[in-house]
Amino acid sequence: MRICVVGPVYPFKGGISHYTGMMVRNLKKEHEVITVSYKMQYPKILFKKEQRDFTNDSFKIDDAQFLLNTANPFNIIGTANKIKKMNPDLVIIQWWHPYFAPCYKILKTCLGKIKTIYVCHNVFPHERFPMDKFLTRMVLKKGDGFIIHSSKEAEDLLGINKNSKYEVTPHPTYNAFKLQGMSKEDGRSLIGMDNDRKMLLFFGFVREYKGLKHILNAMPAILKENPDLDLYVVGDFDGDKDIYVDMIDSLGVAGQVKIIDGYVPDKEVEKYFAACDLVVLPYESATQSGIVQVAYGFDKPCVVTNVGGLPEVVLDGKTGYVVEPYKPDELARVVNKYFAENNEAEFSANVKAEAYRFSWDRMNEVVARLAQKVK
């Protein structure tokens, strides 16, 4: 099958770029794949930070074509015409935010009868805004097929079009961050942490819905049973850092919370996941999260909340723990349980045993099945 994949790839930053690169690389094992990425992803007026990261080319797609200017209708029409000349059997488009609605609406219209599958990282955005449902419906109602990563997302999709053809499959594992094969000791040496301490990791962009405040509120109870523990908060606070610093000080846990503020280049990711014992995602809401799949790439268990698709990927008591959101006492209870029962080896083995369920080879099977459905 000749497939055109549309979405961000290296050197664009972020999890969607990593995902697209891994998807393209794996689809190439069985199909002829054309990769169309962006000439311009977001206008600087909307996204003022640097959008590219050239430090780690392990996600690079050598033959990617950077054609699409998402804000230029004439460019979008021209890109659609170039894709049509490539004569693909199927176009796969990454969808995660309504900003792309006008671009993808034009693209899909110009592609005509070519079958189009949307990979929905989120049907609706995490942080809702006026018109987001209208913009999302405008695009997804016309899709031929959809890849969804949680049953909750499937419900949202069916609310747009009850006749949608779709496949639900877990978000595949990111293992491309294992650049050096670091041991826990290697990682801790690089971050300056003693080997005899315990480490929790909160990783990624710090947003209100990700619930950092809940694991901070859990820290006094965690430290009561595990005084030799540190929580590392690694990610971009986007200007909200002072709120959390004040909270940390008021809780009296400043000595045990380490903040690494700012975007983490791909080549720096490995040391934090290699070094940690347990990854925490105390989200207030979610669809799914690539952070769990990065953790699984390092055989690390996760504590997640019972929101969105998170309980579908973390097996409670086996590959981590699932607790109700907004409950710091529950977060403290399972973290203390993990260390009291010395569950590291067992949980790590369970993560490895789940490898096929989260494999990119399984994603190839999903694409093939869906392609038959929309044929």
Side-chain angles (χ1 to χ4, degrees):
M1 188 163 43
R2 189 177 177 86
I3 301 173
C4 177
V5 177
V6 178
V9 294
Y10 170 92
F12 285 105
K13 291 181 179 180
I16 311 297
S17 174
H18 299 147
Y19 183 110
T20 309
M22 296 286 283
M23 171 176 261
V24 166
R25 189 173 297 171
N26 213 64
L27 284 171
K28 282 186 173 185
K29 294 178 181 179
E30 301 179 19
H31 306 283
E32 182 181 355
V33 182
I34 304 153
T35 308
V36 173
S37 192
Y38 307 123
K39 179 184 293 186
M40 192 280 293
Q41 182 175 215
Y42 299 114
K44 289 185 178 179
I45 192 171
L46 296 179
F47 196 93
K48 296 179 181 179
K49 295 184 179 181
E50 176 54 55
Q51 298 179 40
R52 294 172 174 83
D53 175 11
F54 292 90
T55 61
N56 172 24
D57 65 358
S58 62
F59 293 94
K60 184 178 182 181
I61 304 300
D62 289 329
D63 57 355
Q65 302 180 51
F66 296 86
L67 303 176
L68 195 57
N69 182 325
T70 63
N72 184 329
F74 299 105
N75 167 275
I76 298 165
I77 294 168
T79 300
N81 289 333
K82 289 177 182 178
I83 292 173
K84 288 173 72 174
K85 288 179 181 178
M86 298 171 189
N87 197 29
D89 302 298
L90 183 70
V91 175
I92 298 177
I93 299 176
Q94 308 297 326
W95 170 267
W96 70 99
H97 197 280
Y99 161 77
F100 294 94
C103 170
Y104 289 164
K105 172 70 173 176
I106 296 169
L107 190 70
K108 169 65 175 169
T109 300
C110 293
L111 288 175
K113 295 182 180 180
I114 299 174
K115 297 300 182 182
T116 301
I117 289 173
Y118 289 95
V119 178
C120 295
H121 300 270
N122 315 298
V123 172
F124 297 115
H126 288 300
E127 295 162 313
R128 303 297 297 270
F129 62 90
M131 295 286 289
D132 63 1
K133 190 169 185 178
F134 168 79
L135 291 168
T136 299
R137 185 186 297 271
M138 181 175 76
V139 174
L140 298 191
K141 197 166 185 179
K142 298 296 185 181
D144 298 299
F146 305 88
I147 294 173
I148 307 292
H149 292 316
S150 75
S151 56
K152 171 62 170 64
E153 288 295 283
E155 291 176 12
D156 288 342
L157 176 66
L158 292 173
I160 292 173
N161 183 354
K162 65 181 181 180
N163 297 316
S164 296
K165 296 176 181 179
Y166 66 94
E167 289 273 342
V168 179
T169 187
H171 191 305
T173 297
Y174 291 139
N175 51 22
F177 290 105
K178 263 189 173 180
L179 300 173
Q180 301 177 49
M182 289 182 192
S183 65
K184 182 182 286 188
E185 291 74 19
D186 293 334
R188 291 188 170 195
S189 175
L190 287 172
I191 67 174
M193 183 179 183
D194 292 339
N195 288 325
D196 58 355
R197 294 189 65 78
K198 303 174 179 109
M199 177 179 167
L200 302 181
L201 177 63
F202 178 103
F203 189 90
F205 289 108
V206 179
R207 300 291 182 267
E208 179 72 17
Y209 74 88
K210 294 189 176 182
L212 174 58
K213 62 186 176 186
H214 303 303
I215 189 62
L216 293 177
N217 279 323
M219 283 295 287
I222 293 172
L223 293 172
K224 188 173 181 179
E225 293 189 28
N226 291 281
D228 56 342
L229 178 144
D230 294 318
L231 168 65
Y232 273 69
V233 180
V234 182
D236 191 340
F237 281 77
D238 197 26
D240 293 332
K241 181 179 176 182
D242 289 345
I243 296 170
Y244 294 100
V245 170
D246 290 344
M247 186 176 181
I248 291 165
D249 289 339
S250 68
L251 289 166
V253 295
Q256 288 77 39
V257 178
K258 317 294 182 185
I259 292 179
I260 315 296
D261 182 14
Y263 172 76
V264 182
D266 290 349
K267 68 176 183 179
E268 300 291 325
V269 170
E270 181 174 13
K271 62 185 179 184
Y272 295 109
F273 282 88
C276 77
D277 295 295
L278 196 58
V279 180
V280 291
L281 294 86
Y283 289 12
E284 297 176 354
S285 64
T287 49
Q288 42 78 35
S289 175
I291 301 301
V292 173
Q293 302 308 335
V294 177
Y296 280 3
F298 290 92
D299 303 324
K300 301 292 182 175
C302 299
V303 176
V304 302
T305 46
N306 187 21
V307 295
L310 296 181
E312 296 175 31
V313 295
V314 175
L315 303 180
D316 189 36
K318 293 184 176 181
T319 63
Y321 298 102
V322 181
V323 302
E324 293 304 313
Y326 299 95
K327 292 187 179 292
D329 56 335
E330 284 296 292
L331 290 168
R333 181 183 65 80
V334 296
V335 168
N336 288 334
K337 177 182 173 71
Y338 177 79
F339 290 113
E341 296 180 355
N342 194 24
N343 282 328
E344 180 177 16
E346 177 187 349
F347 280 31
S348 179
N350 291 338
V351 170
K352 291 177 184 177
E354 287 285 292
Y356 174 72
R357 189 160 75 99
F358 303 112
S359 69
W360 287 97
D361 288 339
R362 189 169 186 263
M363 176 62 77
N364 275 8
E365 297 171 11
V366 168
V367 170
R369 282 200 304 270
L370 193 53
Q372 285 300 311
K373 286 183 182 180
V374 304
K375 196 169 182 180

